[in-house]
Amino acid sequence: MRVRRVGVLELLSSRRLRSPSERAAAAMFIRQTASIGPQAVSAWCRRAGHDVHYAVWDGTGEPHRRLPRDLDVVFIACHSPASHLAYALARLFRRRGAATVIGGPHATSFPGDCLRFFDTAVGRCDEALTLRILEDPDGSRGALDCGAMTTAFPTVAERLPEIRRSAFLWGRPHPATVIPLLASTGCPYTCDFCIDWDRDYLPLSDDALEEELSWIAGNWPGVKIGFHDPNFGVRFDPVMAALERQAPGPANRYLMQCSLAVLNRERMGRLRETGCYYIAPS
């Protein structure tokens, strides 16, 4: 396969932030919302030997300046509020000769609209689909989907270059740093108002979760973990057991989101004991 220059950009804001307080919030907090999907795409491209440039845009500076000019393929991820900006960037990068690919929640919900501006719109994605796009960008136009959810994500160690660029300052974690992690993908419920309603629930292996937790604790003790599961703790006992098997006294506190059906008095106690400090009921 030809070695390509690849850009991966995630839009974390829908507008430019101008006030000093907003810019400070962007550096400390908005960047902590970076998603695992774009980081995985970047790591998969790097694993295949491509020249990869990953960046996030937090509302400060010019988003197109976060990536080099001479790229072969540009992947952009965003939520719908930032779609207008993604469309403008797609026009810009296409004029520079790059093939343009959009992924993330907006592409999943509105692939047809995305294709007015992007060459390719991706729903579910895995490593094989990513490399297929890189191998033949012209032949990979249109709406693409790998057909199934994947649990074969790059580890935190493999995503560390991306995490340094998004969640760290000057290459080091700070008090607000959150390392993104998954214990599962999809959701067993079928609430059709949710973007994950048709995504099969797939847990990552308990051994893989333990290895990730141990690696983070050994390398970045005290840094918070953000579980990006659409519904954390559906397999509550195995996930809690993996957390409880870490060294006494949680080395890394964590935040997560889950449905109210997961929570009860007993489970709240186990969440507290394993270091959970924030729950987003959904």
Side-chain angles (χ1 to χ4, degrees):
M1 181 189 298
R2 170 188 163 190
V3 175
R4 299 189 186 277
R5 285 176 58 81
V6 181
V8 180
L9 176 64
E10 182 175 11
L11 304 177
L12 303 178
S13 178
S14 60
R15 63 183 180 89
R16 181 180 289 182
L17 307 179
R18 299 185 182 276
S19 73
S21 61
E22 285 183 323
R23 294 170 70 88
M28 295 296 290
F29 301 109
I30 293 178
R31 299 177 71 85
Q32 308 309 317
T33 64
S35 305
I36 291 178
Q39 295 183 358
V41 167
S42 181
W44 287 329
C45 295
R46 186 171 58 252
R47 184 188 291 174
H50 297 285
D51 180 15
V52 186
H53 303 267
Y54 165 88
V56 297
W57 187 69
D58 55 9
T60 63
E62 300 288 347
H64 64 281
R65 297 187 186 279
R66 299 292 172 94
L67 296 177
R69 293 182 60 91
D70 54 338
L71 296 170
D72 298 312
V73 182
V74 175
F75 293 87
I76 295 178
C78 70
H79 291 270
S80 291
S83 59
H84 61 290
L85 176 57
Y87 292 167
L89 290 170
R91 286 281 179 87
L92 175 64
F93 285 116
R94 287 174 80 174
R95 284 203 300 266
R96 294 177 177 177
T100 55
V101 184
I102 186 170
H106 184 69
T108 298
S109 300
F110 305 104
D113 192 65
C114 291
L115 291 174
R116 295 190 299 127
F117 302 91
F118 282 83
D119 298 312
T120 306
V122 177
R124 289 168 293 190
C125 187
D126 59 9
E127 184 175 11
L129 180 55
T130 301
L131 299 186
R132 170 186 157 192
I133 293 171
L134 292 182
E135 184 173 3
D136 185 11
D138 291 334
S140 301
R141 295 174 181 267
L144 300 180
D145 190 293
C146 67
M149 299 295 290
T150 182
T151 58
F153 291 98
T155 64
V156 171
E158 193 172 4
R159 290 188 286 115
L160 193 55
E162 287 73 29
I163 293 171
R164 287 186 187 276
R165 291 187 63 85
S166 59
F168 290 6
L169 282 177
W170 302 295
R172 301 290 299 177
H174 55 80
T177 291
V178 177
I179 294 177
L181 188 63
L182 282 169
S184 65
T185 61
C187 183
Y189 303 121
T190 56
C191 312
D192 60 5
F193 55 80
C194 175
I195 194 170
D196 292 293
W197 75 274
D198 62 345
R199 300 294 195 249
D200 293 336
Y201 175 76
L202 293 174
L204 277 66
S205 77
D206 299 332
D207 289 343
L209 176 59
E210 281 197 63
E211 289 175 5
E212 292 280 62
L213 293 170
S214 297
W215 190 92
I216 296 170
N219 288 273
W220 307 111
V223 175
K224 300 177 184 67
I225 296 171
F227 280 99
H228 284 218
D229 305 36
N231 197 349
F232 178 84
V234 172
R235 294 172 61 253
F236 191 84
D237 289 334
V239 172
M240 287 298 104
L243 287 161
E244 290 164 346
R245 282 193 288 270
Q246 302 305 302
N252 302 91
R253 296 198 301 158
Y254 64 94
L255 58 92
M256 56 80 167
Q257 67 174 5
C258 70
S259 61
L260 291 174
V262 170
L263 303 177
N264 58 40
R265 185 179 297 274
E266 177 188 356
R267 288 180 168 181
M268 292 293 285
R270 292 182 74 183
L271 288 166
R272 180 182 62 250
E273 291 165 3
T274 54
C276 181
Y277 74 96
Y278 182 87
I279 298 172
S282 58

